[in-house]
Amino acid sequence: MATEAGSGSARTLAACVIGGIVLGASVLALHLAGPTAIPSLPPLDAVRRRFRRRRRPVRVYMDGCFDMMHYGHCNALRQARALGDELIVGVISDEEIKANKGPPVTPLHERMIMVRAVKWVDDIIPDAPYAITEEFMNKLFTEYDIDYIIHGDDPCLLPDGTDAYALAKKAGRYKQIKRTEGVSTTDIVGRMLLCVRERSSDAHNHSSLQRQFSSGHGQKVDDGGSGSGTRVSHFLPTSRRIVQFSNSRGPGPDSRIVYIDGAFDLFHAGHVEILRLARELGDFLLVGIHTDQTISSTRGRHRPIMNLHERSLSVLACRYVDEVIIGAPWDVSKDMITTFNISLVVHGTIAENMDFMEDDSNPYAVPKAMGIYRRLESPLDITTSTIIRRIVANHEAYQKRNEKKEASEKKYYESKSFVNGE
């Protein structure tokens, strides 16, 4: 045992001697190499600044008119948010839209409600300019701490033909996302104008417009000889898009689940506000989206303007909505209440047609009998018909705007190339 202890001490002593020799040689080498061989440390305040820059969230900016907001707008905002940590959205003023595109269908305060409600939006800037001037761009960078300005791959030209995002591109602070195909405000306005023309003409075959939209029959529909056609929906729904818009969580075992259903056609500020109130009544908001056929049978053959999948995505993008039933039944049955563990069924006071409330076949008869039905006072007096009336009232102005916009969209579709994106 003593011999082993002695040999261990000898090894330890030898290791210390060798280590000392190596350390001494290293110090001598540094001394001979001079002071430049020792790297200088950055000042403490510089280190702190770098740390703060690394820790600060990446803020991205996207602007738009967001007129008659649809799932294409929402998908653009979703893609923009994926390029940063926080998304700030500029909502262009009514005056700027009039000067650059023509009269907006929805006023600024309604458009702000819509944009705020999109679940990928962190903050908004109201009355944003249509063109990003150098002054406004510097304001974005300094006051709002914006890192990048985002826009779709479709060109955005000013009335003089120049690129609205030229300055951001020159500054190296511009990023591009993929445009969502199959829908635009121009498309939707065109669908409503087509409804007006069909209602005023007995010569047309009275087939349901929503069937044309849903099945995608024909890219163009003759508009009565004006020389410009109206695109119908070419939206191709995919399972991935629905997953991208959906929330990843379901209700907890003790969640109070609130159910509200409807057409949610031309998703507007009135829809958003009633969904907000409904969500405040529970822990989880389940929204039923009625089928195209149900809506046609209850509201006329020209409805809905947007097909089932388009309407479902618009509702899913709303931050107050947790889940949707795509193609919900007209009647709220006991089996449905049990299946989804629904605690409360609600309906707003403003709707397209409230006559069903007095019918013997009231779709809410079961939840009323169970004592779980509540009628909510609608915050805004807006319906899908309200939006359509706005289009009809300015028929000529919107027709001219659409003809001009359709020409630029046709050029985009003819010259477009594949863009990698979501």
Side-chain angles (χ1 to χ4, degrees):
M1 294 292 292
T3 304
E4 290 178 1
S7 62
S9 299
R11 284 197 296 272
T12 301
L13 180 62
C16 291
V17 172
I18 294 171
I21 293 172
V22 171
L23 179 62
S26 301
V27 171
L28 179 61
L30 288 172
H31 176 72
L32 293 175
T36 56
I38 303 176
S40 59
L41 295 174
L44 186 58
D45 58 342
V47 173
R48 286 172 177 165
R49 281 197 301 272
R50 289 177 188 173
F51 178 73
R52 281 197 298 268
R53 279 200 298 270
R54 284 197 300 270
R55 190 176 61 178
R56 186 179 73 79
V58 175
R59 289 164 63 87
V60 296
Y61 173 82
M62 188 173 194
D63 60 12
C65 302
F66 303 105
D67 195 17
M68 293 185 61
M69 194 162 187
H70 49 72
Y71 66 90
H73 292 130
C74 298
N75 193 45
L77 295 173
R78 182 190 64 80
Q79 291 182 80
R81 179 65 167 74
L83 296 176
D85 302 305
E86 295 175 359
L87 172 61
I88 315 303
V89 179
V91 185
I92 296 170
S93 69
D94 293 342
E95 292 71 23
E96 288 275 89
I97 296 175
K98 289 176 187 175
N100 290 276
K101 299 181 70 172
V105 179
T106 48
L108 178 64
H109 71 277
E110 290 181 22
R111 292 186 283 117
M112 288 174 59
I113 289 173
M114 297 299 295
V115 175
R116 281 190 194 278
V118 177
K119 59 188 175 185
W120 299 289
V121 174
D122 295 289
D123 201 0
I124 66 172
I125 301 174
D127 288 315
Y130 190 83
I132 297 183
T133 61
E134 187 168 5
E135 179 185 4
F136 183 71
M137 184 173 69
N138 290 333
K139 184 177 181 180
L140 290 176
F141 295 157
T142 56
E143 292 186 25
Y144 293 97
D145 291 326
I146 298 299
D147 295 289
Y148 297 102
I149 295 170
I150 317 292
H151 187 64
D153 63 302
D154 54 319
C156 182
L157 302 179
L158 300 174
D160 62 1
T162 57
D163 184 355
Y165 296 90
L167 290 174
K169 292 175 181 177
K170 185 178 180 180
R173 307 282 285 272
Y174 176 85
K175 286 191 176 184
Q176 181 175 277
I177 58 170
K178 185 176 182 178
R179 169 178 167 153
T180 304
E181 296 186 9
V183 68
S184 70
T185 301
T186 305
D187 292 332
I188 298 169
V189 171
R191 298 183 203 184
M192 283 183 278
L193 293 175
L194 181 60
C195 288
V196 173
R197 287 192 294 274
E198 285 224 342
R199 276 201 297 265
S200 64
S201 173
D202 293 328
H204 285 71
N205 181 0
H206 295 302
S207 60
S208 171
L209 283 179
Q210 61 84 13
R211 290 194 185 93
Q212 295 181 46
F213 301 151
S214 298
S215 58
H217 289 162
Q219 183 169 343
K220 296 281 187 178
V221 176
D222 181 64
D223 68 350
S226 71
S228 126
T230 301
R231 290 178 60 89
V232 297
S233 174
H234 270 201
F235 172 55
L236 300 175
T238 64
S239 56
R240 184 172 65 161
R241 179 70 77 233
I242 294 174
V243 169
Q244 289 168 340
F245 273 52
S246 299
N247 291 344
S248 58
R249 63 178 183 85
D254 300 319
S255 293
R256 178 175 169 82
I257 299 173
V258 179
Y259 178 75
I260 185 171
D261 62 1
F264 298 100
D265 195 16
L266 298 178
F267 196 62
H268 52 70
H271 291 138
V272 166
E273 287 296 270
I274 198 67
L275 291 174
R276 177 180 60 81
L277 291 185
R279 182 62 176 79
E280 291 174 356
L281 297 175
D283 308 304
F284 192 91
L285 182 60
L286 176 64
V287 181
I289 316 292
H290 292 152
T291 66
D292 296 342
Q293 290 73 21
T294 296
I295 297 166
S296 289
S297 65
T298 57
R299 300 184 186 177
R301 62 184 180 80
H302 292 288
R303 300 289 188 86
I305 303 297
M306 310 288 284
N307 68 43
L308 175 61
H309 288 96
E310 293 176 311
R311 292 181 285 114
S312 297
L313 286 179
S314 292
V315 175
L316 271 174
C318 181
R319 67 172 69 249
Y320 309 119
V321 176
D322 294 291
E323 191 173 355
V324 304
I325 299 175
I326 303 175
W330 176 251
D331 294 304
V332 182
S333 65
K334 177 68 167 64
D335 180 70
M336 179 179 166
I337 292 170
T338 303
T339 297
F340 292 99
N341 195 28
I342 295 169
S343 303
L344 182 67
V345 177
V346 301
H347 193 280
T349 54
I350 301 295
E352 291 288 313
N353 182 2
M354 299 292 286
D355 293 343
F356 64 81
M357 300 298 291
E358 310 301 328
D359 295 344
D360 294 334
S361 57
N362 187 334
Y364 303 107
V366 171
K368 287 181 77 172
M370 295 173 64
I372 61 168
Y373 175 82
R374 184 185 300 184
R375 206 166 165 193
L376 298 181
E377 189 70 33
S378 299
L380 295 177
D381 186 10
I382 304 173
T383 65
T384 300
S385 293
T386 305
I387 307 299
I388 294 175
R389 282 195 296 269
R390 293 175 185 175
I391 297 293
V392 173
N394 293 280
H395 177 91
E396 291 187 7
Y398 290 123
Q399 182 66 52
K400 290 178 181 177
R401 186 179 88 168
N402 262 31
E403 288 174 359
K404 182 178 179 181
K405 193 71 169 66
E406 282 169 356
S408 64
E409 289 196 359
K410 181 181 178 182
K411 184 177 180 181
Y412 163 77
Y413 278 106
E414 288 176 347
S415 62
K416 75 168 188 173
S417 56
F418 174 76
V419 175
N420 188 28
E422 293 291 330

